[in-house]
Amino acid sequence: MSDTAIGSHAIPSPAPIPVREIAPWLVLGLLMLLALYFVGAEEGATSIIPGMYVHEWVHDSRHLLGFPCH
């Protein structure tokens, strides 16, 4: 067997994605992470907001998503 190339076609480099096309997805991703934090971890030692206000607001969604809270 020989090591000759079958074709001399170069693989084109991908075009860069403009920031304005990525920005909405980044914002959505950050909002989803923030929502996940408030539903899943905003309680106890990791609490940013004092009191049980956020816990009570998202209590039913915690159970719906399978997060234990009590």
Side-chain angles (χ1 to χ4, degrees), residues 3 7 10 12 15-19 31 33-34 36 40-43 52 69:
D3 292 329
I17 300 172
V19 173
L31 287 175
L33 285 174
L34 185 66
L36 182 65
E42 175 61 24
E43 180 182 16
M52 295 294 289
C69 63

Side-chain angles (χ1 to χ4, degrees), residues 3 14 18 24 32 37 62 66:
D3 292 329
M32 294 303 292
Y37 168 76
R62 292 173 74 93

Side-chain angles (χ1 to χ4, degrees), residues 9-47:
H9 296 95
I11 299 173
S13 61
I17 300 172
V19 173
R20 68 177 173 216
E21 290 184 16
I22 296 175
W25 294 104
L26 291 175
V27 171
L28 178 65
L30 290 174
L31 287 175
M32 294 303 292
L33 285 174
L34 185 66
L36 182 65
Y37 168 76
F38 277 115
V39 171
E42 175 61 24
E43 180 182 16
T46 62
S47 181

